[in-house]
Amino acid sequence: MSTTTSTSTPTTMAPASTSALNASRTTATAARVLRQLRHDPRTIALMILIPCVMLFLLRYVFDGSQRTFDNIGASLLGIFPLITMFLVTSIATLRERTSGTLERLLAMPLGKADLIAGYALAFGALAIVQSALATGLAVWALGLDVTGSAWLLLLVALLDALLGTALGLFVSAFASSEFQAVQFMPAVIFPQLLLCGLFTPRPNMHPVLEGISNVLPMSYAVDGMNEVLLHTDVTANFIRDVLVVAACALLVLTLGAATLRRRTA
Amino acid sequence: MMNYASGQPREGAPQTEGAPGSAGAPAVRAEGLTVVRGPRTVLRGLDFTVPRGQVTGLLGPSGCGKSTLMRAIVGTQAKVTGTLDVLGRPAGHPTLRTRIGYVTQAPSVYDDLTIRQNLDYFAAILDPGRASAERRHENVTQAIADVDLTSHADALAGNLSGGQRSRVSLAVALLGTPELLVLDEPTVGLDPVLRRDLWNLFHSIAAERGATLLISSHVMDEAERCHRLLLMREGEILADDTPDALRHRTDSETVEAAFLRLVDEAVAAGRTKETTR
């Protein structure tokens, strides 16, 4: 009558709402993640200060050509949150997996969506602080010349951070140690970095590479930043870029959720 | 059944036969329970029941499948076949998640949170919402007191000793007054005084709340403190009985001697089977 069969777990008819998003459990998870970070002020300082220092450095590397700084600076404002959140999330999730807390949580009435949304919320909040500081520094102190609204820069930066969180969550499922998790950074992020149009406009690349760059989400993050840089109003291209980044983040988050298994070998 | 003076569960544990909850269906019922991990069959067609409202000990050498059995019961083990009913539902059923407290062998707590923050978080998962904040706070305070860590409540879990961390992990399982507590070696590495206190706590949880406890250990002297014992070896159950009956049946002084005798018999039986084959 009640044979428990292998891998799949029944998630239907759950009165404790294990599949739908539960607001209290999500915010409790986000608060817990932020509390963990608060006990680690050095990580917070590194996350928030390093983008600012890099932008500062960049400004004077391109001391003679303000135009180059505008281009690269705007792109980097989109790339920093992605990289930081990728790293932080992949390590944090890996720790959940290896410390047994993930197994414990999934044996409790916590929905996978609650856990993922909690992480996204916590790191999203951190990304807002990081991006606001970096954008503010670039626009007001370093003279980054943005034609559009700085708020739009911030919006793209936030979406990039969510994309980074999603990617980090996803790859942590394939890493069994922190060494491996860190190595996923060059594997997942560097190719996108090379192909996103940061070093040379994408149309100038070999057609094959341009084709590949068309399906990499970071390309759209950088394009979106450049749209804001060059246009006063919200262009159709900007909307497309933002939607692509958001859709990618959602897609990868869903894939990441699929890697969280209640039953494991 | 013989009644040795030392045969009763010790440390003032009341006999819970007939206590509320012990009547009716067992807390756990397994029939032909088999678990495969990779190429290995870890549990081989187990049949057993765990009665309600009692402390059942799960004993056996390390690597015999105790943890896998516990993971199957709480529903975190993959590739489980056969029948496994827990509190009247198939193991792993979503409604069971609030009714079972589970402590893994390695303490599973956040090292970068304080004891209280750890418990606050897990309590918020079990009993979410602002309306229950008051009840959660009481629950957390009680759980910390139960494991005797009140004076350390605001210490980071990462700075605690191994024994203290495993008690934090235990406190998490006590939250929300679960009907079934599955504890994987909860007393490993603890000093004798703490071990005695924890066993007293286990018995009072069974007696006062009518909860069922399934506690694994490879320390045989802890077996004497259980109402019932499941002795395991190499993925099979050697015996399912009270400590008294076990000692009596094997004509042994202690459960340890009884277990060793049962193992020898099993090995001898295995040999004769092989030689006659």
Side-chain angles (χ1 to χ4, degrees):
Chain A
M1 171 190 103
S2 47
T3 304
T4 51
T5 44
S6 59
T7 48
S8 76
T9 318
T11 43
T12 46
M13 58 184 231
S17 93
T18 49
S19 47
L21 203 62
N22 177 305
S24 313
R25 292 198 177 106
T26 303
T27 48
T29 303
R32 183 264 296 174
V33 173
L34 290 176
R35 238 175 241 140
Q36 282 179 286
L37 274 175
R38 215 176 57 194
H39 288 291
D40 188 1
R42 195 177 301 170
T43 297
I44 299 183
L46 287 171
M47 283 172 81
I48 287 177
L49 290 181
I50 284 182
C52 294
V53 173
M54 289 300 129
L55 282 170
F56 190 78
L57 206 65
L58 203 68
R59 166 67 185 79
Y60 294 101
V61 166
F62 295 109
D63 203 22
S65 67
Q66 178 70 29
R67 194 68 214 142
T68 319
F69 173 67
D70 286 349
N71 272 325
I72 298 188
S75 304
L76 282 182
L77 281 178
I79 292 169
F80 279 139
L82 201 158
I83 294 182
T84 333
M85 294 309 146
F86 175 85
L87 270 177
V88 174
T89 316
S90 58
I91 300 281
T93 325
L94 183 76
R95 276 197 200 164
E96 288 257 22
R97 287 178 202 273
T98 51
S99 70
T101 47
L102 183 70
E103 181 177 346
R104 165 162 254 161
L105 284 173
L106 291 178
M108 285 184 174
L110 178 77
K112 297 174 191 174
D114 298 335
L115 184 69
I116 291 177
Y119 265 103
L121 208 63
F123 289 145
L126 211 62
I128 289 180
V129 176
Q130 185 201 54
S131 307
L133 269 175
T135 310
L137 177 83
V139 172
W140 287 304
L142 302 178
L144 183 78
D145 192 11
V146 192
T147 316
S149 158
W151 291 108
L152 294 179
L153 283 184
L154 207 57
L155 171 73
V156 182
L158 179 62
L159 287 173
D160 290 347
L162 287 181
L163 179 64
T165 301
L167 285 170
L169 188 80
F170 181 64
V171 302
S172 80
F174 304 100
S176 53
S177 70
E178 299 190 353
F179 280 147
Q180 291 180 9
V182 171
Q183 291 307 320
F184 272 112
M185 218 272 285
V188 174
I189 301 291
F190 279 18
Q192 300 200 59
L193 208 57
L194 291 176
L195 298 178
C196 70
L198 181 67
F199 296 102
T200 178
R202 293 198 287 130
N204 296 357
M205 295 176 190
H206 188 284
V208 173
L209 292 186
E210 194 194 346
I212 296 175
S213 81
N214 281 337
V215 297
L216 294 177
M218 198 192 279
S219 310
Y220 295 90
V222 168
D223 284 1
M225 284 298 192
N226 282 319
E227 287 294 314
V228 183
L229 191 70
L230 302 173
H231 304 279
T232 34
D233 46 352
V234 176
T235 61
N237 276 343
F238 175 78
I239 291 174
R240 181 205 63 188
D241 294 336
V242 164
L243 285 179
V244 169
V245 174
C248 280
L250 260 179
L251 176 74
V252 183
L253 275 180
T254 317
L255 289 176
T259 67
L260 299 175
R261 292 279 166 95
R262 285 195 196 269
R263 285 181 182 271
T264 49
Chain B
M1 179 173 107
M2 292 269 285
N3 249 329
Y4 298 98
S6 62
Q8 299 300 327
R10 288 173 192 167
E11 321 304 347
Q15 288 291 56
T16 48
E17 241 92 27
S22 71
V28 180
R29 189 176 63 86
E31 272 168 35
L33 174 66
T34 300
V35 173
V36 179
R37 292 184 72 184
R40 246 163 53 87
T41 304
V42 183
L43 301 181
R44 306 157 186 273
L46 305 188
D47 302 304
F48 66 90
T49 57
V50 174
R52 286 200 194 222
Q54 295 197 2
V55 179
T56 300
L58 179 61
L59 288 110
S62 40
C64 72
K66 298 189 296 287
S67 296
T68 306
L69 175 56
M70 295 190 135
R71 280 168 44 85
I73 290 172
V74 298
T76 56
Q77 179 65 48
K79 302 205 171 151
V80 180
T81 50
T83 304
L84 182 58
D85 280 345
V86 180
L87 302 173
R89 302 272 186 168
H93 193 276
T95 56
L96 290 175
R97 287 180 200 142
T98 49
R99 300 169 67 196
I100 303 180
Y102 171 42
V103 179
T104 49
Q105 207 162 13
S108 44
V109 292
Y110 297 102
D111 280 346
D112 40 7
L113 291 180
T114 68
I115 296 182
R116 182 172 285 280
Q117 287 171 340
N118 262 294
L119 284 146
D120 279 342
Y121 173 56
F122 288 112
I125 298 303
L126 286 169
D127 187 9
R130 201 159 291 180
S132 45
E134 187 76 18
R135 184 171 61 222
R136 275 206 303 271
H137 183 77
E138 280 169 24
N139 253 325
V140 165
T141 308
Q142 182 60 47
I144 296 177
D146 279 345
V147 296
D148 196 21
L149 282 173
T150 307
S151 56
H152 292 74
D154 294 316
L156 278 184
N159 293 343
L160 299 173
S161 74
Q164 288 170 327
R165 283 175 77 237
S166 64
R167 277 186 284 153
V168 181
S169 197
L170 174 63
V172 175
L174 298 178
L175 292 169
T177 53
E179 293 162 61
L180 171 65
L181 271 167
V182 178
L183 311 178
D184 199 349
E185 310 221 340
T187 56
V188 149
L190 300 184
D191 61 80
V193 177
L194 260 172
R195 264 171 51 183
R196 183 199 59 197
D197 291 351
L198 281 182
W199 276 96
N200 286 344
L201 174 68
F202 298 155
H203 278 287
S204 71
I205 289 171
E208 287 160 24
R209 303 183 196 163
T212 307
L213 289 92
L214 180 64
I215 303 173
S216 78
S217 177
H218 61 253
V219 188
M220 289 291 165
D221 65 343
E222 299 199 322
E224 315 273 354
R225 307 177 197 248
C226 301
H227 295 119
R228 280 196 81 82
L229 292 176
L230 290 170
L231 295 189
M232 276 185 81
R233 184 181 163 270
E234 291 180 1
E236 283 168 6
I237 290 195
L238 278 187
D240 173 4
D241 224 328
T242 63
D244 271 348
L246 262 177
R247 277 191 302 263
H248 182 54
R249 180 149 67 89
T250 55
D251 199 19
S252 313
E253 286 282 306
T254 60
V255 171
E256 179 160 3
F259 178 74
L260 290 175
R261 176 159 296 199
L262 287 169
V263 169
D264 288 344
E265 281 171 13
V267 170
R271 275 209 197 104
T272 50
K273 214 187 287 172
E274 254 165 47
T275 48
T276 52
R277 209 181 282 166

